[in-house]
Amino acid sequence: MTGRSGRHRETRPASLPARLWLARNSIAGQVFSVTAVIVLVLITAAALALVFQARYDSQRGARDRSLAAAEAFAHAPGLPAALKSPDPTAELQPLADGARRASGVDFVAVMTTDGVRYTDSRPELIGQRATGDLARAAAGESFTEVFKGDPSDAVRAVVPVRDARGTVVGLVATGIEVENVGETVEGQLPLLVGAAAGALLLGTGGAALVSRRLRRQTRGLGAVEMARMNEHHEAVLHAVREGVLIVGADHRLLLANDEARRLLNLPPDAEQRHVGDLGLDPRTTELLLSGRVATDEVHLAGDRLLAVNVRPTEPFAGRPSGSVTTLRDTTELAALSGRAEVARERLQMLYEAGVRIGTTLDVVRTAEELSEVAVPRFADFVTVELLEPVLRGDEPSPAAGEHTEMRRAAMSGTRTDQPLQPVGDIIRFEVPTAPMAAALADGHAVLAADLNAAMGWRAQDEAGTRQALDYGLHSLISVPLQARGVVLGMANFWRAADTPEAFDEEDLSFAEELGARAAVSVDNARRFTREHATAVALQRSLLPRVLPELSAVDTAFRYLPAKAGVGGDWFDVIPLPGARVALVVGDVVGHGVHAAATMGRLRTAVHNFSTLDMPPDELLGHLDELTDRIDQLEDGGPAEGDAGGSGLAGGTEEPPAGITGATCLYAVYDPVSGQCTMASAGHPGPALVYPDGRVEFPELPTGLPLGVGGMPFETAGLVLPEGSRLVLFTDGLVEDRGRDFDSGLTLLRETLSRRGRSPEEACADVLAAMLFPAPSDDIALLVADARRLEADRIAEWDVPDDPAAVSRVRREAAAQLRDWGLDEASFTAELILSELITNAIRYANEPIRVRLLRDRNLICEVADGSSTSPHLRYAATTDEGGRGLFLVAQYAERWGTRYTERGKVIWAELSPSGGEAPLPLGLDMDALEDLGW
């Protein structure tokens, strides 16, 4: 609010009484009100008491003055004589007036013994009888009284007058009127009222000051709130079952309730003592002195565990803050939570067992994982024994006595100096009452809480068990490992001196659950081992055991099946006509027996197609068609001549799986020209290592994988220098979960760059550098050092289209064979060359070329420009021709036809010794020229 001048109106603070009145519901207001009333009552009572006291004192003073004046006048000399004079009034009136004035009384009356006045301050009363009882004075007694009556109310004293003989001869009465006595009191009233008012102000102000301080102390709380606070305070101090400590900023204990005193065993005079002098646990003392905030910190107090919470207090009235500490006894809760923690830990161990056991599908490793999971959280030592057939992957036999012997497959412990038999030993369970034998017989886990009392176990091997007991083994749980109702082995959990607590029934249940889970993993590993062994055996039977020895290449290979299961990787080295060689590497998607079988089918198909001496792209095209055909047939598709149907009896059986995916790299190397022609069906290209150690990965037109179809394959050619190396591999060598393909190629390049290594050494180097600890895919590696056929082992002639040239070429060929030292094969070679050249001149087109190659065998080749394929036929006895190819087939070890871009080549291989077929006597070479095909 603002006034007319625009200034804010000053807000004056209310007066203290006003504020107290506004806060009349508070303790301070009530104290002020009560105190003010008490002060008012006391002052009023005091004032009244003073008034009455003043009146009393005035009356008493009046009595005393009156009595003194009367006594003095009655004993005045000559008074008895004056009373006996004829005119006592005349003699005594002046004396009485003088005595009245001198003593300050209101009247002095001299009377006869019967009360008749001789003198009085009021002359008109002289001679009149005084009222009131004067008998006592007449009897000789002096007295004072408050007289009420005529002529006025007064405080008077009556004294007898005696003569010389002591006889009462008269009376003297003196007094002060009551009215005059009240005037004295009324004169003191202003002073009394002023004093009372001052006392009232002082009392009220003091009450206000006390109330103000009380209001500050109580913060304006009312009686209800104060009562509630008191109840709370009493409850905290005596009823709350949680300890409370209030510590000041100077680290002195300000308050401790009963529960805190009990929990901490505080002395009676603990309050106002320094925290460090209370004899608390050092950790608790450090916490209380540090001033830091704490929430449910566990501290030790004697044999109790306390949950301690510390919070700082808020500063008040400029005072530094302290702290409030609460204490809660968690000893019983800790015991309960300990049991809950054990149960939680057991569940955690079971979870870890499910994650850690059976990760490799290896029987022995699975047993090791079981032993590792339980140590040291459950047992100090764990031993796992398995039946011999299980270790081999075979189904264990349920025959009687089969379970009495097992081989220790795994053992783990907290220490290495243990007394148990090592891994690999045969463990026998021959005593029926031993825990192991009893567990196998019952099919359930058996607990031997105290091995000292396990007489069956001790009888099984007295020396060994004595050593185990001396070592400290004291408790055992034996669990049979069973899956599908078949016993696979035994797991034994041991506790030694490191764990003084013996196994109990809860531990027995946990061990049995752990053994059941492990048994499933062991059985899975066993079955996988059996299938893996079967697949490996099949794979190895389908792969080449040895590679042929060839002049064109020097080869070495490595094949490693995947740990997770045999895949479909394969390789091959196939000799081709003309001293050439085909290098093949492939990969079938998937693992297991099906992949191995598929690999065998594809390898056989490649062998068959290679006999046709096709270019790599054509061979892959035929292989792709075959793969697609196999997929259609095995997926239940209609074959030729089949109107439809699934091809399955009754339609209930699942069709066999087809070739779900396969890749292949096919390369043909000619040692005469050094030309290498290759094609890829989705397979990584080879690595080419030059003689100087330089490594390249030639770019190939990579086609689609086999069975996809739709796109033709392309061929790439390159010339291999003398002494170069060609490395073919599958993708399992270079990539895995922990390494990508490009990183693998980089590492392979570095490994192959080492010079002076043989193919075998190169294979070892590659696997040492590239092999994964647990490869997830098969690895096939083929290393081939390319060789050139020396020029002096090659002879070539161009043959004109003239039958007369046959004899010349035949003679020159015979001379070349003599130079090579092949005289024994000369006649057979002349015979074959005569037939092949004659037929090429007669039936084919130019150009016609003849080539002799001296390899491990003698190779005779006749090339022409015709693509007509010759056919072997059997001539009748009356036919004049048609026996040429028959003779070639008879006298050559092998022969065949391969097609080139511009014609064909008919070739024949001869043994250097001249062959095994006997030559007819008297055979005329010139006559053979007339023989037709």
Side-chain angles (χ1 to χ4, degrees):
M1 296 292 291
T2 58
R4 294 180 181 179
S5 63
R7 297 179 180 178
H8 287 279
R9 294 181 179 177
E10 296 182 357
T11 303
R12 296 181 179 180
S15 63
L16 180 60
R19 291 198 302 270
L20 292 174
W21 174 253
L22 293 175
R24 59 187 180 273
N25 291 328
S26 66
I27 292 294
Q30 295 179 16
V31 169
F32 171 75
S33 301
V34 173
T35 305
V37 171
I38 292 174
V39 169
L40 179 61
V41 171
L42 290 177
I43 292 176
T44 302
L48 292 175
L50 288 176
V51 170
F52 287 116
Q53 184 66 38
R55 289 182 177 275
Y56 174 78
D57 291 343
S58 297
Q59 289 183 2
R60 185 171 182 178
R63 287 174 180 268
D64 292 341
R65 287 168 55 194
S66 299
L67 182 59
E71 288 286 350
F73 195 82
H75 292 85
L79 181 58
L83 288 174
K84 293 179 180 180
S85 67
D87 192 4
T89 302
E91 292 183 10
L92 296 175
Q93 182 66 28
L95 296 175
D97 290 337
R100 178 179 58 80
R101 287 190 295 272
S103 61
V105 296
D106 289 334
F107 65 90
V108 175
V110 179
M111 299 176 293
T112 62
T113 56
D114 55 358
V116 177
R117 298 183 180 92
Y118 289 125
T119 65
D120 198 278
S121 59
R122 298 170 61 179
E124 67 273 10
L125 295 179
I126 297 174
Q128 294 184 7
R129 183 179 298 275
T131 59
D133 184 12
L134 302 177
R136 289 183 299 169
E141 178 186 353
S142 299
F143 68 92
T144 62
E145 66 177 353
V146 177
F147 173 76
K148 294 182 178 181
D150 293 330
S152 61
D153 296 338
V155 178
R156 69 178 181 179
V158 181
V159 177
V161 179
R162 297 177 184 271
D163 58 8
R165 293 188 301 271
T167 302
V168 177
V169 294
L171 302 175
V172 175
T174 62
I176 300 173
E177 292 182 357
V178 173
E179 182 180 354
N180 293 332
V181 174
E183 290 178 357
T184 303
V185 175
E186 291 173 359
Q188 296 177 352
L189 284 178
L191 178 61
L192 291 175
V193 172
L200 180 61
L201 290 176
L202 290 176
T204 305
L209 292 176
V210 170
S211 299
R212 180 179 182 181
R213 183 169 182 82
L214 183 61
R215 182 171 60 87
R216 289 183 179 178
Q217 295 292 334
T218 61
R219 301 187 180 184
L221 297 177
V224 176
E225 290 84 357
M226 290 295 292
R228 186 179 297 112
M229 287 182 61
N230 181 67
E231 293 174 357
H232 293 173
H233 183 264
E234 291 297 322
V236 169
L237 283 179
H238 307 297
V240 172
R241 304 307 299 171
E242 185 169 304
V244 177
L245 298 177
I246 299 179
V247 179
D250 57 353
H251 301 133
R252 292 186 178 274
L253 181 62
L254 301 180
L255 183 142
N257 68 348
D258 295 346
E259 184 68 7
R261 292 177 181 274
R262 183 184 69 84
L263 294 176
L264 298 177
N265 195 23
L266 295 177
D269 58 344
E271 294 180 351
Q272 299 304 322
R273 291 176 61 178
H274 195 273
V275 171
D277 300 334
L278 297 178
L280 304 178
D281 182 77
R283 286 188 64 245
T284 307
T285 302
E286 184 274 332
L287 175 61
L288 297 179
L289 293 177
S290 65
R292 63 182 175 87
V293 175
T295 302
D296 287 340
E297 286 193 10
V298 179
H299 288 251
L300 187 64
D303 58 348
R304 295 182 175 275
L305 295 177
L306 304 181
V308 181
N309 295 269
V310 180
R311 295 292 185 274
T313 58
E314 294 185 1
F316 174 71
R319 299 176 181 176
S321 63
S323 63
V324 175
T325 303
T326 60
L327 311 169
R328 187 173 66 256
D329 189 355
T330 62
T331 305
E332 296 180 358
L333 180 61
L336 180 61
S337 62
R339 292 192 294 271
E341 179 64 20
V342 170
R344 187 199 65 80
E345 185 176 353
R346 296 289 169 81
L347 290 176
Q348 180 67 22
M349 288 179 61
L350 289 177
Y351 169 76
E352 292 183 9
V355 174
R356 294 175 54 185
I357 298 177
T359 59
T360 61
L361 291 176
D362 180 82
V363 174
V364 174
R365 180 55 192 156
T366 302
E368 292 173 350
E369 290 168 344
L370 168 60
S371 65
E372 292 168 358
V373 164
V375 175
R377 290 184 293 175
F378 179 67
D380 295 325
F381 296 95
V382 176
T383 58
V384 181
E385 294 80 41
L386 297 177
L387 295 170
E388 289 286 355
V390 175
L391 291 171
R392 298 191 301 267
D394 298 334
E395 185 80 16
S397 172
E402 180 71 20
H403 302 157
T404 58
E405 289 188 1
M406 295 184 185
R407 186 173 298 276
R408 180 149 292 168
M411 180 170 60
S412 295
T414 56
R415 298 166 60 183
T416 57
D417 58 335
Q418 42 77 28
L420 302 173
Q421 291 179 254
V423 174
D425 277 14
I426 295 295
I427 310 298
R428 293 177 173 84
F429 312 114
E430 298 175 346
V431 179
T433 57
M436 298 83 165
L440 291 172
D442 297 340
H444 297 286
V446 172
L447 168 64
D450 185 5
L451 288 177
N452 286 285
M455 295 305 172
W457 174 73
R458 298 182 64 174
Q460 187 168 272
D461 180 8
E462 294 184 3
T465 54
R466 172 48 56 190
Q467 183 181 358
L469 292 174
D470 293 342
Y471 179 81
L473 297 180
H474 61 83
S475 190
L476 166 67
I477 294 179
S478 296
V479 181
L481 301 180
Q482 302 179 95
R484 300 174 292 106
V486 178
V487 174
L488 306 175
M490 165 73 62
N492 295 300
F493 302 90
W494 310 79
R495 280 188 179 174
D498 295 338
T499 306
E501 298 84 4
F503 287 118
D504 55 22
E505 292 297 329
E506 293 184 1
D507 297 325
L508 182 68
S509 301
F510 171 76
E512 193 159 23
E513 176 66 22
L514 183 61
R517 297 192 179 199
V520 174
S521 298
V522 170
D523 189 51
N524 290 337
R526 179 197 62 78
R527 298 172 67 181
F528 173 80
T529 300
R530 181 183 60 188
E531 294 178 3
H532 183 71
T534 302
V536 168
L538 175 62
Q539 180 86 336
R540 295 194 182 279
S541 66
L542 297 176
L543 288 173
R545 295 180 179 272
V546 294
L547 297 181
E549 295 184 4
L550 303 173
S551 301
V553 291
D554 183 12
T555 58
F557 69 93
R558 293 290 188 275
Y559 172 77
L560 294 178
K563 292 294 183 181
V566 174
D569 292 11
W570 91 91
F571 63 92
D572 216 334
V573 178
I574 304 173
L576 296 179
R580 294 170 304 133
V581 62
L583 304 175
V584 190
V585 65
D587 185 2
V588 175
V589 176
H591 296 85
V593 176
H594 172 68
T598 301
M599 178 274 298
R601 299 166 75 178
L602 292 180
R603 179 172 175 252
T604 302
V606 171
H607 264 278
N608 293 334
F609 289 136
S610 67
T611 59
L612 301 177
D613 212 347
M614 299 177 180
D617 55 341
E618 291 185 19
L619 184 142
L620 292 182
H622 286 288
L623 193 62
D624 179 60
E625 292 178 2
L626 176 64
T627 302
D628 183 62
R629 180 66 175 171
I630 292 174
D631 283 340
Q632 291 183 8
L633 291 176
E634 294 193 347
D635 287 343
E640 293 183 3
D642 188 0
S646 63
L648 301 175
T652 58
E653 298 181 2
E654 293 185 1
I659 302 176
T660 57
T663 62
C664 182
L665 175 65
Y666 187 83
V668 175
Y669 173 63
D670 187 352
V672 177
S673 62
Q675 183 75 22
C676 183
T677 306
M678 60 187 72
S680 172
H683 198 86
L688 177 60
V689 184
Y690 289 92
D692 59 358
R694 183 165 46 93
V695 181
E696 290 183 358
F697 295 96
E699 293 186 3
L700 297 181
T702 304
L704 297 175
L706 299 175
V708 176
M711 295 293 291
F713 298 98
E714 299 182 35
T715 299
L718 64 156
V719 178
L720 302 184
E722 177 69 25
S724 60
R725 173 172 292 169
L726 200 63
V727 180
L728 286 70
F729 54 88
T730 56
D731 56 0
L733 177 69
V734 295
E735 68 175 345
D736 202 86
R737 291 183 294 268
R739 185 171 66 206
D740 58 26
F741 187 81
D742 293 336
S743 300
L745 289 183
T746 302
L747 183 58
L748 180 61
R749 184 196 305 273
E750 296 174 355
T751 307
L752 294 175
S753 62
R754 298 179 60 184
R755 302 178 61 183
R757 309 293 287 175
S758 67
E760 283 290 340
E761 293 172 339
C763 287
D765 293 342
V766 169
L767 291 186
M770 308 284 295
L771 188 61
F772 299 95
S776 60
D777 197 3
D778 289 12
I779 295 175
L781 175 65
L782 179 62
V783 177
D785 284 357
R787 299 172 182 170
R788 287 289 186 93
L789 198 62
E790 295 85 349
D792 59 355
R793 303 179 66 165
I794 304 172
E796 293 182 294
W797 297 271
D798 291 327
V799 181
D801 189 11
D802 183 2
V806 176
S807 299
R808 178 182 59 82
V809 173
R810 187 176 67 237
R811 289 190 298 270
E812 292 178 0
Q816 182 65 56
L817 293 177
R818 285 192 299 271
D819 293 341
W820 285 344
L822 301 177
D823 294 335
E824 296 181 2
S826 176
F827 187 82
T828 306
E830 290 182 49
L831 173 63
I832 292 175
L833 285 176
S834 296
E835 286 299 321
L836 295 181
I837 296 172
T838 300
N839 285 291
I841 293 174
R842 183 175 298 177
Y843 300 109
N845 302 324
E846 292 184 320
I848 300 174
R849 291 181 58 83
V850 175
R851 185 172 71 171
L852 294 181
L853 301 178
R854 180 189 173 190
D855 194 20
R856 297 178 182 273
N857 289 331
L858 176 62
I859 302 173
C860 303
E861 295 181 346
V862 177
D864 58 56
S866 173
S867 60
T868 303
S869 175
H871 296 281
L872 177 66
R873 65 187 183 88
Y874 297 92
T877 55
T878 58
D879 292 339
E880 296 182 358
R883 298 176 178 86
L885 284 182
F886 177 76
L887 290 176
V888 171
Q890 288 293 316
Y891 292 104
E893 289 192 352
R894 292 195 308 156
W895 77 279
T897 304
R898 73 173 183 271
Y899 293 92
T900 63
E901 294 181 357
R902 298 182 180 180
K904 66 178 182 296
V905 176
I906 300 177
W907 55 271
E909 288 188 10
L910 303 177
S911 171
S913 62
E916 299 178 356
L919 295 176
L921 297 177
L923 184 61
D924 185 3
M925 290 293 179
D926 293 330
L928 292 177
E929 299 175 5
D930 296 332
L931 297 177
W933 285 11

